[in-house]
Amino acid sequence: MYIGIDVGGTNLKAGLVDGNGKILRVQRVPLDFQGPESFAGMLADLTREILQNGESVEYVGIGLPGAVSGGDVLFTTNIPMENVPLEQLFRRHLDLPLLLGNDADCAAVAEFFCGAGKGTQDFGVVTLGTGIGVGLILDGKLRGGAVSSEAGHIVMRRGGELCNCGRYGCWERYASATGLIRLTKEVMDCRPESLLHRIAAQQGCVEGKTAFMAAEQGDEAALEVCREYVEDLADGAVSLINVVRPEVIAIGGGVAAAPEYLLLEPLREIVARESFSSHGGRATKILRAELGNDAGIIGAAFLGRVM
């Protein structure tokens, strides 16, 4: 058995996971970051809570937003850690091996063993959230750690919108959930008659699902948003596929819950038309990720299987 810990923006979620990917027990605690040493102690305490019945585990896996290398955190995006020897700090509190992965890599690992990537050897996950996360499994091994993919920063439009990374025109600037919200607001400013306004008012704000909800009701402005968004998503997906040539790309994150006919079906059509994956005998399949909020725990728990 294994323990997987998913480090989110506000909470830590830990789970005891068996060899089949079944989560047997879960603990959640608020993330109260008081420095790396305290954080390592919090992770150790959470591990002890999960092992309340004295189970034996091979290691503890942790997925977090940021970059890692071996047992070190190079940097994180939601808590202030840089060049922190987290495994070393953790083992001062609890003598168990600690494996680290970023959150997109953990999503890829989970889906590879238990979800949309089962039975593949070359597989990728694209998560659509605040940014775009990409996790890759190539020849059955995780392309992770210090060489994790940053495909969200493929430049789609040279001289385009400024990305948080400092470059212009990055894929995630347009095809993340944040990019979708920005596009929706831009269209709303030009189309005051659109149903988008009523749905946003009902939600209390513009969300990633706003355009898809209005498009389901036939709103033309919303349909335009969805079409442009899928084209932006496809631009980066085609570039990724042409480089990696995976068997499957799974789309995850909140946006992936959109109706298939508005998101995945047109995405598949563009990928089939524009990528080289249809040549040479292996076309890349585009699927929806299957594991949702469990992916972080399961993927962290299974990191040792693909390293």
Side-chain angles (χ1 to χ4, degrees):
M1 288 192 288
Y2 317 91
I3 287 178
I5 301 178
D6 182 12
V7 179
T10 57
N11 292 288
L12 303 177
K13 295 189 301 182
L16 180 67
V17 182
D18 70 13
N20 296 316
K22 182 179 180 181
I23 300 176
L24 305 177
R25 189 179 305 130
V26 175
Q27 293 282 352
R28 294 176 176 83
V29 297
L31 174 59
D32 180 21
F33 187 79
Q34 300 293 328
E37 179 71 45
S38 173
F39 180 63
M42 182 182 298
L43 295 173
D45 290 343
L46 194 53
T47 299
R48 292 189 188 96
E49 289 182 32
I50 286 290
L51 296 176
Q52 57 187 274
N53 295 329
E55 296 92 348
S56 175
V57 296
E58 293 186 34
Y59 57 80
V60 178
I62 295 180
L64 69 171
V68 301
S69 178
D72 298 340
V73 177
L74 303 181
F75 69 87
T76 53
T77 57
N78 65 332
I79 49 180
M81 283 197 296
E82 186 173 355
N83 297 322
V84 172
L86 189 59
E87 182 181 25
Q88 178 182 327
L89 297 178
F90 178 85
R91 296 189 82 151
R92 292 177 185 173
H93 300 271
L94 187 61
D95 192 20
L96 279 173
L98 188 73
L99 305 183
L100 303 179
N102 77 24
D103 46 6
D105 287 342
C106 288
V109 172
E111 294 285 344
F112 179 72
F113 285 107
C114 304
K118 287 180 68 174
T120 67
Q121 282 295 297
D122 299 311
F123 170 70
V125 164
V126 175
T127 59
L128 307 174
T130 303
I132 288 182
V134 176
L136 297 172
I137 308 274
L138 302 177
D139 197 23
K141 295 294 182 182
L142 177 65
R143 178 73 173 173
V147 292
S148 290
S149 172
E150 287 294 346
H153 298 285
I154 295 170
V155 172
M156 289 170 39
R157 301 179 191 175
R158 188 162 185 83
E161 296 282 346
L162 176 64
C163 179
N164 289 335
C165 75
R167 302 179 76 201
Y168 291 85
C170 290
W171 185 26
E172 78 167 34
R173 177 66 179 168
Y174 298 91
S176 62
T178 306
L180 174 57
I181 290 169
R182 181 174 55 85
L183 175 61
T184 304
K185 290 178 177 178
E186 290 174 357
V187 171
M188 289 171 66
D189 288 343
C190 301
R191 303 286 289 273
E193 81 288 353
S194 169
L195 182 61
L196 289 165
H197 293 274
R198 177 151 50 101
I199 289 179
Q202 291 169 350
Q203 295 171 333
C205 63
V206 177
E207 299 179 343
K209 61 184 178 182
T210 302
F212 290 103
M213 291 176 67
E216 284 186 275
Q217 299 183 49
D219 182 77
E220 186 55 41
L223 287 165
E224 290 175 13
V225 171
C226 294
R227 284 192 289 266
E228 182 172 342
Y229 175 75
V230 170
E231 289 171 0
D232 288 337
L233 180 58
D235 280 347
V238 167
S239 295
L240 178 64
I241 289 166
N242 285 344
V243 172
V244 181
R245 304 291 291 273
E247 297 159 76
V248 171
I249 291 285
I251 308 296
V255 176
E260 190 146 324
Y261 77 95
L262 290 172
L263 180 69
L264 293 186
E265 287 181 9
L267 178 61
R268 291 180 185 122
E269 290 174 6
I270 298 173
V271 166
R273 184 174 68 243
E274 298 187 6
S275 79
F276 285 88
S277 76
S278 58
H279 306 294
R282 188 172 83 178
T284 299
K285 296 179 181 178
I286 305 293
L287 303 176
R288 181 180 279 117
E290 298 177 4
L291 299 177
N293 292 331
D294 290 339
I297 289 175
I298 296 170
F302 278 7
L303 279 171
R305 294 188 174 191
V306 288
M307 287 183 164

